[in-house]
């Protein structure tokens, strides 16, 4: 079996993979089993002279090799905060209105990717399988190809792919597409993402779908497939809350757990809860919304705005409905220990996961996994979270429709135990089948099969065609296209 080489913006602490959860557990597992290598930024911001550095610091952790480089402060500002988080993050989440298309960001983004490629090149072996992660690193594969690397290189995008017209608004969209075309396999979270990417490649850069389902673009042939990210289910199952469940407690908790990000739909969630209280006075004093929202990317301006908006909104709703002995919204702007999170999920009757747009949303899966199967809570899930494509037994809502969300809170609170159990059983089955280890295995198997000229096992082109049809788009495939 060939060695696995991972590249991502940050590397996680492999000694604490269990605490990090999500994809890190699966990645740590595969790295140690296949004596892999992981290259990324070490989280440090150094001098300008670091920009010349292509020799990473290397440590061995549990059979894997971790190679890291620092960024200079200019690189941190233009590559990380700038192009990655002020251009690609908002545009890929369909928020052109907050994107900051500043001159110089893209150039530095490219330079950092080039430097990381140069740092990786001497560490590579001829049969390594290379797996590049996320929007910070789109050009990395092409930079490796320019250095003569012919290995299988796959790329996985953890965030959504926007509709073609939105993608086209990025001034450097052609360069990004050229970067994507350097990979043998591009993995995305959902079938809709596959369809959006194929649309864009056809509309924006004259991509052509081949007979075997691959896409030909810029003289290269690439496969695109969906590999929905999962969780490590067992780290959530079986933990029953002791801390929070006091027999005498009479309030029912709705829980929200989201990084404080403008894509998470937090103002809409607060408004919907306020509207619910307005429409249902009988429920006042009987329910609370606990929203845990740890800080993130606080040096990006749009994040300062959302923080102020939420503080004002929670204050307004608490001021309007609160009593001396009841505060309707508990808003906590801090990180919470993972163990506590599992307990709070298990203690909450409704999981309110209502992002305006989200690549997958692991909180939705974690909430379901933490429920008591005999008396499970109800998941309220945005139709615009990638997770909604799999989690059809949740109560699916439109996060822009405050009225609908307010009414759905009532439906969830009043759902009988039989229906809750049935929905929970189906959701948990799906989460178990598509857990984080299955995600990792299926991406790597697909990438390695491409080298052996076998089709990917992820959601293939056919799924993309169906998704396009479901969206009412004309299919880009000719009728005789052989499916993957
Ligand atoms: P995103 O990747 O956009 O942040 P996800 O829902 O996919 O969204 O993943 C978020 C992860 O961060 C989840 O595993 C969740 O448990 C964790 N998390 C979110 N909020 C907190 C918090 N307040 N404290 C600790 N962990 C959190």
């Amino acid at each position: 079996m060939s060695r696995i080489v991972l590249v991502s913006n940050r590397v996680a602490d492999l000694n604490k993979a269990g605490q990090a959860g999500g994809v890190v557990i699966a990645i740590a597992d595969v790295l140690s089993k296949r004596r892999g290598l992981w290259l990324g930024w070490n989280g440090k911001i150094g001098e300008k002279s670091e920009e010349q550095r292509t020799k990473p610091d290397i440590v061995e952790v549990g059979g894997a090799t971790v190679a890291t480089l620092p960024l200079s402060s200019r690189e941190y500002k233009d590559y990380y905060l700038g192009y990655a988080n002020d251009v690609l993050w908002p545009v890929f989440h369909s928020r052109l209105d907050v994107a900051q298309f500043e001159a110089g960001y893209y150039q530095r983004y490219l330079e950092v990717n080039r430097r990381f490629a140069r740092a990786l090149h001497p560490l590579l072996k001829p049969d390594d399988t290379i797996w590049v992660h996320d929007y910070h690193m789109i050009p990395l594969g092409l930079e490796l190809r320019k250095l003569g690397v012919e290995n299988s290189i796959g790329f996985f995008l953890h965030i959504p792919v926007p509709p073609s017209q939105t993608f086209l608004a990025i001034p450097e969209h052609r360069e990004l597409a050229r970067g994507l075309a350097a990979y043998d396999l591009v993995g995305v979270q959902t079938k809709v993402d596959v369809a959006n990417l194929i649309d864009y490649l056809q509309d924006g850069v004259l991509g052509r779908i081949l007979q075997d389902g691959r896409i030909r673009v810029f003289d290269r042939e690439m496969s695109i497939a969906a590999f929905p990210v999962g969780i490590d289910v067992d780290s959530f199952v079986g933990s029953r809350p002791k801390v929070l469940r006091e027999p005498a407690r009479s309030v029912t908790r709705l829980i929200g757990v989201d990084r404080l990000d403008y894509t998470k739909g937090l103002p809409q969630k607060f408004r919907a809860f306020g509207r619910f209280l307005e429409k249902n006075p009988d429920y006042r004093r009987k329910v609370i919304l606990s929203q845990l929202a740890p800080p993130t990317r606080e040096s990006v301006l749009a994040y300062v705005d959302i923080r102020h908006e939420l503080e004002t909104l929670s204050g307004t709703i608490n001021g309007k409905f609160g009593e001396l002995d009841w505060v309707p919204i508990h808003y906590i702007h801090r990180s919470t220990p993972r163990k506590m999170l599992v307990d709070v999920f298990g203690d909450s009757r409704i999981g309110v996961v209502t992002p305006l747009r989200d690549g997958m949303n692991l909180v939705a899966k974690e909430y379901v996994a933490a429920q008591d199967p005999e008396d499970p809570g109800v998941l309220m899930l945005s139709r615009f979270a990638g997770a909604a494509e799999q989690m059809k037994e949740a109560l699916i809502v439109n996060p822009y429709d405050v009225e609908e969300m307010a009414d759905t809170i009532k439906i969830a609170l009043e759902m009988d135990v039989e229906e809750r159990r049935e929905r929970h059983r189906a959701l948990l089955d799906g989460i178990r089948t598509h857990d984080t280890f299955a995600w990792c295995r299926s991406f790597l198997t697909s990438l390695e099969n491409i080298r052996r000229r076998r089709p990917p096992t992820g959601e293939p082109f056919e799924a993309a065609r169906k998704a396009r049809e479901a969206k009412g788009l004309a299919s880009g495939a000719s009728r005789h296209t052989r499916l993957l």
Side-chain angles (χ1 to χ4, degrees):
M1 217 182 256
S2 68
R3 186 174 71 148
I4 294 296
V5 174
L6 294 181
V7 189
S8 57
N9 173 58
R10 288 297 298 270
V11 295
D13 182 347
L14 290 177
N15 290 317
K16 295 184 185 154
Q19 290 161 38
V23 298
V24 174
I25 295 182
I27 281 175
D29 186 54
V30 79
L31 280 176
S32 86
K33 284 186 181 142
R34 294 176 68 169
R35 308 199 67 75
L37 166 69
W38 191 355
L39 174 82
W41 173 35
N42 60 10
K44 296 191 180 131
I45 300 167
E47 300 296 313
K48 197 169 158 209
S49 57
E50 299 287 11
E51 291 171 17
Q52 307 309 317
R53 187 166 154 194
T54 52
K55 206 168 164 8
D57 296 317
I58 293 186
V59 289
E60 303 291 324
V61 189
T65 305
V66 178
T68 53
L69 287 162
L71 295 177
S72 74
S73 55
R74 282 201 314 187
E75 287 174 333
Y76 176 70
K77 180 178 151 291
D78 296 348
Y79 146 78
Y80 178 74
L81 294 178
Y83 203 72
N85 286 319
D86 245 352
V87 176
L88 296 181
W89 176 271
V91 175
F92 278 44
H93 285 86
S94 298
R95 287 294 305 266
L96 278 171
D97 58 318
V98 289
Q100 305 285 330
F101 297 108
E102 301 269 338
Y105 280 178
Y106 178 72
Q107 190 53 32
R108 195 91 61 209
Y109 171 77
L110 192 59
E111 282 163 12
V112 170
N113 273 270
R114 189 168 292 151
R115 182 157 80 88
F116 276 46
R118 288 193 181 135
L120 184 64
H121 188 216
L123 306 177
L124 290 175
K125 298 176 186 166
D127 67 341
D128 282 343
T129 299
I130 305 168
W131 187 5
V132 179
H133 286 259
D134 229 357
Y135 59 105
H136 314 84
M137 293 280 146
I138 294 173
L140 194 106
L142 181 58
E143 293 304 317
L144 287 175
R145 298 282 184 224
K146 287 182 188 164
L147 295 169
V149 174
E150 289 178 358
N151 303 45
S152 282
I153 316 181
F155 175 79
F156 187 80
L157 183 70
H158 292 255
I159 62 175
V161 180
S164 175
Q165 290 293 313
T166 308
F167 204 132
L168 283 165
I170 304 174
E172 303 81 12
H173 72 89
R174 265 186 213 86
E175 286 84 344
L176 294 175
R178 205 179 286 279
L180 288 172
Y183 295 103
D184 299 297
L185 171 63
V186 171
V188 291
Q189 298 271 23
T190 66
K191 294 176 224 168
V192 170
D193 293 325
V194 173
N196 281 349
L197 187 52
I198 291 174
D199 271 353
Y200 159 71
L201 291 172
Q202 289 181 313
D203 297 350
V205 287
L206 303 177
R208 200 158 49 80
I209 297 167
L210 302 177
Q211 293 274 320
D212 64 3
R214 285 180 301 157
I215 314 292
R216 185 169 176 81
V217 60
F218 298 116
D219 286 335
R220 278 196 55 88
E221 280 145 28
M222 66 198 283
S223 296
I224 302 173
F227 303 88
V229 163
I231 60 166
D232 173 30
V233 182
D234 289 331
S235 62
F236 289 89
V237 168
S239 168
R240 296 284 158 256
K242 295 173 192 71
V243 196
L244 299 157
R245 187 160 281 172
E246 305 140 27
R249 225 198 47 217
S250 57
V251 277
T252 299
R253 185 193 307 272
L254 285 67
I255 184 74
V257 174
D258 312 78
R259 279 181 309 101
L260 185 57
D261 193 293
Y262 51 80
T263 61
K264 298 290 184 184
L266 295 169
Q268 288 82 353
K269 189 191 295 191
F270 282 12
R271 280 193 203 100
F273 186 61
R275 183 75 185 120
F276 165 78
L277 294 174
E278 198 162 24
K279 287 172 88 169
N280 300 282
D282 291 353
Y283 273 107
R284 293 182 198 165
R285 278 203 151 99
K286 293 185 184 146
V287 290
I288 53 166
L289 169 65
S290 296
Q291 178 63 51
L292 310 183
T296 167
R297 301 174 201 156
E298 286 189 307
S299 12
V300 175
L301 194 63
Y303 289 75
V304 178
D305 293 346
I306 182 79
R307 182 180 168 175
H308 287 153
E309 185 179 1
L310 277 186
E311 282 167 2
T312 309
L313 251 177
S314 56
T316 307
I317 294 168
N318 284 339
K320 182 167 177 190
F321 298 104
E323 303 285 350
L324 281 175
D325 56 352
W326 173 66
V327 180
I329 298 182
H330 292 185
Y331 165 54
I332 299 168
H333 182 51
R334 282 194 309 273
S335 201
T336 310
R338 204 165 172 74
K339 174 74 186 70
M340 175 71 92
L341 216 54
V342 178
D343 286 350
V344 181
F345 282 147
D347 182 59
S348 301
R349 176 41 55 89
I350 311 180
V352 193
V353 182
T354 50
L356 303 178
R357 191 77 185 97
D358 214 327
M360 175 52 57
N361 198 293
L362 294 181
V363 168
K365 299 184 174 185
E366 293 169 354
Y367 173 78
V368 169
Q371 296 307 300
D372 175 356
E374 291 309 310
D375 184 22
V378 178
L379 175 65
M380 215 172 119
L381 179 61
S382 160
R383 62 182 307 149
F384 303 120
E389 205 171 273
Q390 298 174 294
M391 304 181 79
K392 298 203 186 316
E393 296 80 7
L395 293 181
I396 304 290
V397 293
N398 172 3
Y400 293 93
D401 187 344
V402 165
E403 207 64 29
E404 181 199 55
M405 287 210 288
D407 293 344
T408 308
I409 292 173
K410 185 158 188 287
I411 292 168
L413 285 169
E414 293 172 4
M415 190 180 287
D416 66 52
V417 70
E418 279 311 315
E419 184 174 350
R420 283 190 279 122
R421 280 186 198 148
E422 214 169 289
R423 287 175 184 266
H424 176 257
R425 210 176 302 125
L427 287 169
L428 191 60
D429 276 356
I431 292 170
R432 278 204 179 283
T433 309
H434 300 283
D435 71 359
T436 185
F437 303 102
W439 164 77
C440 191
R441 236 182 355 253
S442 101
F443 184 90
L444 286 173
T445 306
S446 295
L447 181 56
E448 288 167 344
N449 282 345
I450 285 170
R451 179 186 283 178
R452 296 184 212 109
R453 296 227 162 269
R454 290 201 207 120
T457 58
E459 289 290 350
F461 176 72
E462 170 68 351
R465 187 183 59 76
K466 284 188 183 146
R468 289 161 60 91
E469 282 174 5
K471 287 197 309 177
L473 295 169
S475 169
S478 61
R479 278 186 156 265
H480 56 269
T481 299
R482 185 158 69 80
L483 302 174
L484 285 173

